[in-house]
Amino acid sequence: MAQLTGPKKINCAVFISGTGSNLKSLIQFSKKKSSPISIELIISDNAKAKGLKFGKIFKISNKVFNYKNKLIAEKKIISEIKNKKIKLICLAGFMKILSKRFIKNFKGTILNIHPSLLPKYKGLNTHQRALLNNEKYSGCTVHFVNSKLDSGKIILQKKVRISKVDTPKSLAKKVLIQEHKLYPKAIRRVFNP
Ligand code: GRF
């Protein structure tokens, strides 16, 4: 993605489905002078996503798309992304799987954050599965998105120690704190390899 670097910030869209705590941390990061990105669009498949409030607070355009028909939803998203000249897509708790067609369209410009040390625990319920397997560590991963779920090239990871008293909830909380630091760091890495 080196060709995207330059003095001007890159237009970025963040896709969410829920709380949006990663969205919030990315917005705060984007406001820094040294940040390579400017968040110009927030996309959600869920009108009730709590994270949509950050669009209002930070005056960033929010768009909700009904995913009953994925093809139609994605067509609308693509047109929105092109209108806003988006060059980087950050998935942050977006619960829909993007189609192969969509991913191909934005090849190499979609990032995702996943709450495990990939390639371990792809998919859902990562914390629960890590605890059931008596793992000593879990963590989070930022990676490029390719057509296989949670399998694209890894950009950065952060380990988190699992304690004996951890529950899926307490572990999720610990990992999330690291996610908020890791995503901005990974974006810097992408633009400044
Ligand atoms: C995070 O744990 C992220 O890694 C996963 O979904 C969660 C989203 O949390 N993909 P939030 O909406 O950013 O608070």
Side-chain angles (χ1 to χ4, degrees), residues 75-139:
K75 272 193 178 156
K76 288 183 183 165
I77 293 175
I78 290 172
S79 113
E80 200 63 42
I81 282 175
K82 295 206 163 145
N83 273 343
K84 292 248 184 271
K85 299 191 169 40
I86 299 297
K87 299 281 186 265
L88 180 74
I89 295 172
C90 292
L91 307 182
F94 186 61
M95 297 307 284
K96 297 287 184 229
I97 294 175
L98 299 170
S99 71
K100 287 200 167 79
R101 199 178 118 267
F102 185 96
I103 294 168
K104 219 171 145 193
N105 216 309
F106 298 102
K107 200 166 171 258
T109 63
I110 311 176
L111 310 184
N112 182 40
I113 186 150
H114 185 76
S116 80
L117 294 172
L118 289 173
K120 281 189 167 181
Y121 308 113
K122 296 173 184 176
L124 298 175
N125 304 319
T126 55
H127 306 304
Q128 198 179 357
R129 287 187 283 146
L131 288 170
L132 279 173
N133 281 346
N134 291 317
E135 297 279 5
K136 286 203 169 61
Y137 292 94
S138 187

Side-chain angles (χ1 to χ4, degrees), residues 13-179:
V14 182
F15 287 31
I16 62 164
S17 297
T19 317
S21 67
N22 277 290
L23 165 66
K24 186 182 173 204
S25 97
L26 288 177
I27 295 174
Q28 285 165 341
F29 166 63
S30 74
K31 302 282 180 202
K32 292 184 180 169
K33 212 176 159 202
S34 67
S35 166
I37 60 162
S38 166
I39 298 173
E40 298 295 327
L41 182 62
I42 297 163
I43 283 182
S44 177
D45 61 309
N46 172 13
K48 290 189 179 139
K50 284 193 189 145
L52 287 170
K53 70 171 184 252
F54 296 118
K56 291 189 188 95
I57 296 172
F58 293 97
K59 299 193 170 51
I60 300 169
S61 163
N62 262 340
K63 296 274 169 182
V64 178
F65 293 98
N66 182 333
Y67 251 74
K68 269 191 185 139
N69 184 322
K70 184 161 160 167
L71 195 73
I72 295 176
E74 286 193 346
K75 272 193 178 156
K76 288 183 183 165
I77 293 175
I78 290 172
S79 113
E80 200 63 42
I81 282 175
K82 295 206 163 145
N83 273 343
K84 292 248 184 271
K85 299 191 169 40
I86 299 297
K87 299 281 186 265
L88 180 74
I89 295 172
C90 292
L91 307 182
F94 186 61
M95 297 307 284
K96 297 287 184 229
I97 294 175
L98 299 170
S99 71
K100 287 200 167 79
R101 199 178 118 267
F102 185 96
I103 294 168
K104 219 171 145 193
N105 216 309
F106 298 102
K107 200 166 171 258
T109 63
I110 311 176
L111 310 184
N112 182 40
I113 186 150
H114 185 76
S116 80
L117 294 172
L118 289 173
K120 281 189 167 181
Y121 308 113
K122 296 173 184 176
L124 298 175
N125 304 319
T126 55
H127 306 304
Q128 198 179 357
R129 287 187 283 146
L131 288 170
L132 279 173
N133 281 346
N134 291 317
E135 297 279 5
K136 286 203 169 61
Y137 292 94
S138 187
C140 44
T141 304
V142 178
H143 63 94
F144 284 105
V145 171
N146 67 10
S147 56
K148 278 197 193 151
L149 185 70
D150 300 327
S151 299
K153 189 173 174 247
I154 291 172
I155 303 162
L156 280 180
Q157 294 187 302
K158 177 75 185 175
K159 260 188 182 179
V160 171
R161 206 181 209 329
I162 298 180
S163 84
K164 287 210 172 68
V165 294
D166 266 326
T167 61
K169 207 172 161 188
S170 70
L171 182 56
K173 213 170 158 184
K174 281 202 270 189
V175 171
L176 209 47
I177 292 170
Q178 296 307 322
E179 290 185 38

